[in-house]
Amino acid sequence: MQPAQITYHGVEPSEALTALIESRVAQLERVCGSIQSMRVLVDAPHHHQRHGNHFRVRVEMTVAGGDIVVGHDVDEHAGNEDAYAAVRRAFDAARRCVTTAQSRRHGKERAHTDRRPTIRHAR
């Protein structure tokens, strides 16, 4: 895979944040070896004085089966999340999407199909 393209919008690029993104990209490559290209966007769309900055992280991957796009948008009322937490959450979501896509590609069913028996509680 080519090196991941990291773009910052409204955020000052930092070496620590770039290092975190690169380490999470490496972890994702170990999970899915068919990643052809990856783009990561770190965005701070609003600057709030009282509630802190809100960050958006978008991960776009091109894999053998198609494109996977994952975005993590912070809730407007959760002012305690920083850029590092937003990156971690976005890459966690990307990992879930990649593993789900791999399972579907290999013909494995998901655990929560409609054929699963249900249990009803009597009152």
Side-chain angles (χ1 to χ4, degrees), residues 1 25-36 38 61-65 68 94-95 97-99 101-102 105-106:
M1 179 182 97
V25 167
Q27 289 174 1
L28 206 54
E29 284 179 334
R30 284 192 296 270
V31 171
C32 178
S34 64
I35 298 174
Q36 298 167 353
M38 183 175 298
M61 293 176 283
T62 303
V63 295
I68 297 175
R95 183 180 183 145
C97 286
V98 164
T99 54
Q102 284 179 334
R105 191 169 44 230
H106 295 307

mmCIF file of all heavy atoms in Angstrom, residues 1 25-36 38 61-65 68 94-95 97-99 101-102 105-106:
data_model
loop_
_atom_site.group_PDB
_atom_site.id
_atom_site.type_symbol
_atom_site.label_atom_id
_atom_site.label_comp_id
_atom_site.label_asym_id
_atom_site.label_seq_id
_atom_site.Cartn_x
_atom_site.Cartn_y
_atom_site.Cartn_z
ATOM 1 N N MET A 1 0.843 -1.183 0.000
ATOM 2 C CA MET A 1 0.000 0.000 0.000
ATOM 3 C C MET A 1 0.879 1.235 0.000
ATOM 4 O O MET A 1 1.961 1.264 0.567
ATOM 5 C CB MET A 1 -0.896 -0.013 1.246
ATOM 6 C CG MET A 1 -1.790 1.198 1.320
ATOM 7 S SD MET A 1 -2.815 1.278 2.776
ATOM 8 C CE MET A 1 -1.848 2.333 3.800
ATOM 9 N N VAL A 25 -3.049 3.225 11.160
ATOM 10 C CA VAL A 25 -3.042 2.735 9.777
ATOM 11 C C VAL A 25 -2.294 1.401 9.714
ATOM 12 O O VAL A 25 -2.739 0.453 9.061
ATOM 13 C CB VAL A 25 -2.418 3.781 8.824
ATOM 14 C CG1 VAL A 25 -2.116 3.179 7.471
ATOM 15 C CG2 VAL A 25 -3.339 4.983 8.667
ATOM 16 N N ALA A 26 -1.164 1.314 10.397
ATOM 17 C CA ALA A 26 -0.386 0.079 10.414
ATOM 18 C C ALA A 26 -1.183 -1.065 11.039
ATOM 19 O O ALA A 26 -1.144 -2.203 10.553
ATOM 20 C CB ALA A 26 0.924 0.291 11.164
ATOM 21 N N GLN A 27 -1.929 -0.782 12.111
ATOM 22 C CA GLN A 27 -2.763 -1.808 12.732
ATOM 23 C C GLN A 27 -3.846 -2.283 11.769
ATOM 24 O O GLN A 27 -4.137 -3.470 11.681
ATOM 25 C CB GLN A 27 -3.410 -1.274 14.004
ATOM 26 C CG GLN A 27 -2.458 -1.070 15.147
ATOM 27 C CD GLN A 27 -3.134 -0.402 16.337
ATOM 28 O OE1 GLN A 27 -4.322 -0.105 16.303
ATOM 29 N NE2 GLN A 27 -2.371 -0.166 17.384
ATOM 30 N N LEU A 28 -4.435 -1.344 11.036
ATOM 31 C CA LEU A 28 -5.484 -1.685 10.081
ATOM 32 C C LEU A 28 -4.926 -2.512 8.926
ATOM 33 O O LEU A 28 -5.600 -3.410 8.427
ATOM 34 C CB LEU A 28 -6.139 -0.398 9.573
ATOM 35 C CG LEU A 28 -7.563 -0.473 9.074
ATOM 36 C CD1 LEU A 28 -8.471 -1.093 10.116
ATOM 37 C CD2 LEU A 28 -8.062 0.909 8.718
ATOM 38 N N GLU A 29 -3.692 -2.235 8.531
ATOM 39 C CA GLU A 29 -3.058 -3.011 7.465
ATOM 40 C C GLU A 29 -2.816 -4.450 7.905
ATOM 41 O O GLU A 29 -2.885 -5.370 7.089
ATOM 42 C CB GLU A 29 -1.729 -2.381 7.055
ATOM 43 C CG GLU A 29 -1.875 -1.158 6.195
ATOM 44 C CD GLU A 29 -0.538 -0.542 5.837
ATOM 45 O OE1 GLU A 29 0.436 -0.715 6.601
ATOM 46 O OE2 GLU A 29 -0.476 0.106 4.783
ATOM 47 N N ARG A 30 -2.533 -4.657 9.179
ATOM 48 C CA ARG A 30 -2.339 -6.014 9.680
ATOM 49 C C ARG A 30 -3.649 -6.792 9.674
ATOM 50 O O ARG A 30 -3.668 -8.000 9.459
ATOM 51 C CB ARG A 30 -1.741 -5.996 11.076
ATOM 52 C CG ARG A 30 -0.262 -5.662 11.085
ATOM 53 C CD ARG A 30 0.369 -5.937 12.431
ATOM 54 N NE ARG A 30 -0.146 -5.114 13.506
ATOM 55 C CZ ARG A 30 0.362 -3.930 13.864
ATOM 56 N NH1 ARG A 30 1.404 -3.440 13.227
ATOM 57 N NH2 ARG A 30 -0.159 -3.257 14.862
ATOM 58 N N VAL A 31 -4.770 -6.101 9.903
ATOM 59 C CA VAL A 31 -6.074 -6.761 9.904
ATOM 60 C C VAL A 31 -6.498 -7.094 8.486
ATOM 61 O O VAL A 31 -7.010 -8.173 8.207
ATOM 62 C CB VAL A 31 -7.138 -5.860 10.592
ATOM 63 C CG1 VAL A 31 -8.529 -6.413 10.403
ATOM 64 C CG2 VAL A 31 -6.823 -5.700 12.048
ATOM 65 N N CYS A 32 -6.278 -6.163 7.568
ATOM 66 C CA CYS A 32 -6.704 -6.328 6.180
ATOM 67 C C CYS A 32 -5.516 -6.042 5.269
ATOM 68 O O CYS A 32 -5.096 -4.891 5.139
ATOM 69 C CB CYS A 32 -7.864 -5.389 5.868
ATOM 70 S SG CYS A 32 -8.424 -5.460 4.173
ATOM 71 N N GLY A 33 -5.015 -7.056 4.640
ATOM 72 C CA GLY A 33 -3.859 -6.889 3.766
ATOM 73 C C GLY A 33 -4.210 -6.400 2.380
ATOM 74 O O GLY A 33 -3.326 -6.134 1.568
ATOM 75 N N SER A 34 -5.498 -6.262 2.066
ATOM 76 C CA SER A 34 -5.902 -5.862 0.720
ATOM 77 C C SER A 34 -6.194 -4.367 0.597
ATOM 78 O O SER A 34 -6.857 -3.948 -0.348
ATOM 79 C CB SER A 34 -7.127 -6.671 0.288
ATOM 80 O OG SER A 34 -8.226 -6.377 1.133
ATOM 81 N N ILE A 35 -5.706 -3.552 1.525
ATOM 82 C CA ILE A 35 -5.899 -2.105 1.433
ATOM 83 C C ILE A 35 -4.940 -1.562 0.386
ATOM 84 O O ILE A 35 -3.737 -1.770 0.459
ATOM 85 C CB ILE A 35 -5.653 -1.417 2.792
ATOM 86 C CG1 ILE A 35 -6.650 -1.904 3.832
ATOM 87 C CG2 ILE A 35 -5.756 0.100 2.643
ATOM 88 C CD1 ILE A 35 -6.389 -1.381 5.225
ATOM 89 N N GLN A 36 -5.482 -0.878 -0.612
ATOM 90 C CA GLN A 36 -4.671 -0.346 -1.696
ATOM 91 C C GLN A 36 -4.277 1.103 -1.455
ATOM 92 O O GLN A 36 -3.170 1.507 -1.772
ATOM 93 C CB GLN A 36 -5.422 -0.483 -3.018
ATOM 94 C CG GLN A 36 -5.707 -1.927 -3.350
ATOM 95 C CD GLN A 36 -6.702 -2.088 -4.473
ATOM 96 O OE1 GLN A 36 -7.299 -1.115 -4.939
ATOM 97 N NE2 GLN A 36 -6.901 -3.318 -4.899
ATOM 98 N N MET A 38 -5.267 4.789 1.235
ATOM 99 C CA MET A 38 -5.996 5.294 2.393
ATOM 100 C C MET A 38 -5.798 6.799 2.503
ATOM 101 O O MET A 38 -4.695 7.297 2.312
ATOM 102 C CB MET A 38 -5.523 4.611 3.677
ATOM 103 C CG MET A 38 -6.315 5.051 4.891
ATOM 104 S SD MET A 38 -5.872 4.168 6.386
ATOM 105 C CE MET A 38 -6.290 2.514 5.962
ATOM 106 N N MET A 61 -10.862 4.336 2.468
ATOM 107 C CA MET A 61 -9.966 3.254 2.055
ATOM 108 C C MET A 61 -10.435 2.672 0.736
ATOM 109 O O MET A 61 -11.636 2.564 0.489
ATOM 110 C CB MET A 61 -9.981 2.127 3.085
ATOM 111 C CG MET A 61 -9.408 2.470 4.409
ATOM 112 S SD MET A 61 -9.588 1.115 5.566
ATOM 113 C CE MET A 61 -11.314 1.279 5.994
ATOM 114 N N THR A 62 -9.486 2.299 -0.086
ATOM 115 C CA THR A 62 -9.764 1.526 -1.276
ATOM 116 C C THR A 62 -9.221 0.132 -1.020
ATOM 117 O O THR A 62 -8.026 -0.047 -0.796
ATOM 118 C CB THR A 62 -9.091 2.141 -2.514
ATOM 119 O OG1 THR A 62 -9.543 3.486 -2.654
ATOM 120 C CG2 THR A 62 -9.418 1.357 -3.761
ATOM 121 N N VAL A 63 -10.125 -0.852 -1.016
ATOM 122 C CA VAL A 63 -9.747 -2.242 -0.788
ATOM 123 C C VAL A 63 -10.102 -3.041 -2.026
ATOM 124 O O VAL A 63 -10.689 -2.520 -2.978
ATOM 125 C CB VAL A 63 -10.441 -2.828 0.467
ATOM 126 C CG1 VAL A 63 -9.983 -2.140 1.730
ATOM 127 C CG2 VAL A 63 -11.942 -2.724 0.353
ATOM 128 N N ALA A 64 -9.771 -4.325 -2.013
ATOM 129 C CA ALA A 64 -9.981 -5.168 -3.184
ATOM 130 C C ALA A 64 -11.461 -5.230 -3.584
ATOM 131 O O ALA A 64 -11.781 -5.284 -4.759
ATOM 132 C CB ALA A 64 -9.445 -6.563 -2.915
ATOM 133 N N GLY A 65 -12.376 -5.206 -2.629
ATOM 134 C CA GLY A 65 -13.800 -5.315 -2.937
ATOM 135 C C GLY A 65 -14.496 -4.003 -3.240
ATOM 136 O O GLY A 65 -15.661 -3.981 -3.603
ATOM 137 N N ILE A 68 -14.318 1.851 1.127
ATOM 138 C CA ILE A 68 -14.916 1.915 2.461
ATOM 139 C C ILE A 68 -14.653 3.315 2.992
ATOM 140 O O ILE A 68 -13.516 3.772 3.014
ATOM 141 C CB ILE A 68 -14.300 0.869 3.406
ATOM 142 C CG1 ILE A 68 -14.597 -0.540 2.903
ATOM 143 C CG2 ILE A 68 -14.836 1.048 4.821
ATOM 144 C CD1 ILE A 68 -13.935 -1.634 3.715
ATOM 145 N N ALA A 94 -13.520 1.951 11.479
ATOM 146 C CA ALA A 94 -12.965 1.458 10.216
ATOM 147 C C ALA A 94 -12.588 -0.010 10.336
ATOM 148 O O ALA A 94 -12.812 -0.798 9.411
ATOM 149 C CB ALA A 94 -11.755 2.291 9.812
ATOM 150 N N ARG A 95 -12.029 -0.393 11.470
ATOM 151 C CA ARG A 95 -11.661 -1.789 11.681
ATOM 152 C C ARG A 95 -12.893 -2.682 11.681
ATOM 153 O O ARG A 95 -12.887 -3.763 11.093
ATOM 154 C CB ARG A 95 -10.901 -1.928 12.999
ATOM 155 C CG ARG A 95 -10.431 -3.326 13.258
ATOM 156 C CD ARG A 95 -9.698 -3.421 14.573
ATOM 157 N NE ARG A 95 -9.201 -4.762 14.747
ATOM 158 C CZ ARG A 95 -8.063 -5.049 15.329
ATOM 159 N NH1 ARG A 95 -7.314 -4.090 15.808
ATOM 160 N NH2 ARG A 95 -7.687 -6.290 15.454
ATOM 161 N N CYS A 97 -15.706 -2.095 10.105
ATOM 162 C CA CYS A 97 -16.194 -2.160 8.721
ATOM 163 C C CYS A 97 -15.351 -3.099 7.874
ATOM 164 O O CYS A 97 -15.874 -3.862 7.062
ATOM 165 C CB CYS A 97 -16.194 -0.767 8.090
ATOM 166 S SG CYS A 97 -17.499 0.286 8.691
ATOM 167 N N VAL A 98 -14.041 -3.071 8.065
ATOM 168 C CA VAL A 98 -13.148 -3.930 7.287
ATOM 169 C C VAL A 98 -13.381 -5.394 7.638
ATOM 170 O O VAL A 98 -13.470 -6.243 6.745
ATOM 171 C CB VAL A 98 -11.679 -3.522 7.516
ATOM 172 C CG1 VAL A 98 -10.721 -4.592 7.049
ATOM 173 C CG2 VAL A 98 -11.386 -2.218 6.802
ATOM 174 N N THR A 99 -13.493 -5.701 8.918
ATOM 175 C CA THR A 99 -13.701 -7.101 9.302
ATOM 176 C C THR A 99 -15.069 -7.603 8.840
ATOM 177 O O THR A 99 -15.198 -8.756 8.423
ATOM 178 C CB THR A 99 -13.559 -7.296 10.819
ATOM 179 O OG1 THR A 99 -14.431 -6.403 11.496
ATOM 180 C CG2 THR A 99 -12.132 -7.068 11.262
ATOM 181 N N ALA A 101 -16.673 -6.509 6.127
ATOM 182 C CA ALA A 101 -16.549 -6.683 4.683
ATOM 183 C C ALA A 101 -15.781 -7.954 4.349
ATOM 184 O O ALA A 101 -16.135 -8.675 3.414
ATOM 185 C CB ALA A 101 -15.860 -5.470 4.067
ATOM 186 N N GLN A 102 -14.739 -8.260 5.114
ATOM 187 C CA GLN A 102 -13.979 -9.488 4.884
ATOM 188 C C GLN A 102 -14.841 -10.723 5.145
ATOM 189 O O GLN A 102 -14.790 -11.697 4.405
ATOM 190 C CB GLN A 102 -12.747 -9.538 5.779
ATOM 191 C CG GLN A 102 -11.625 -8.657 5.326
ATOM 192 C CD GLN A 102 -10.440 -8.731 6.276
ATOM 193 O OE1 GLN A 102 -10.588 -9.036 7.458
ATOM 194 N NE2 GLN A 102 -9.272 -8.439 5.758
ATOM 195 N N ARG A 105 -17.227 -11.143 2.305
ATOM 196 C CA ARG A 105 -16.536 -11.554 1.091
ATOM 197 C C ARG A 105 -16.180 -13.040 1.151
ATOM 198 O O ARG A 105 -16.181 -13.732 0.148
ATOM 199 C CB ARG A 105 -15.278 -10.707 0.894
ATOM 200 C CG ARG A 105 -14.645 -10.886 -0.450
ATOM 201 C CD ARG A 105 -13.568 -9.878 -0.755
ATOM 202 N NE ARG A 105 -12.675 -9.651 0.372
ATOM 203 C CZ ARG A 105 -12.363 -8.452 0.841
ATOM 204 N NH1 ARG A 105 -12.857 -7.376 0.289
ATOM 205 N NH2 ARG A 105 -11.538 -8.314 1.853
ATOM 206 N N HIS A 106 -15.889 -13.553 2.349
ATOM 207 C CA HIS A 106 -15.533 -14.960 2.498
ATOM 208 C C HIS A 106 -16.758 -15.847 2.717
ATOM 209 O O HIS A 106 -16.611 -17.046 2.946
ATOM 210 C CB HIS A 106 -14.554 -15.146 3.656
ATOM 211 C CG HIS A 106 -13.232 -14.490 3.407
ATOM 212 N ND1 HIS A 106 -12.490 -14.716 2.272
ATOM 213 C CD2 HIS A 106 -12.531 -13.596 4.136
ATOM 214 C CE1 HIS A 106 -11.382 -14.002 2.317
ATOM 215 N NE2 HIS A 106 -11.388 -13.306 3.452
#
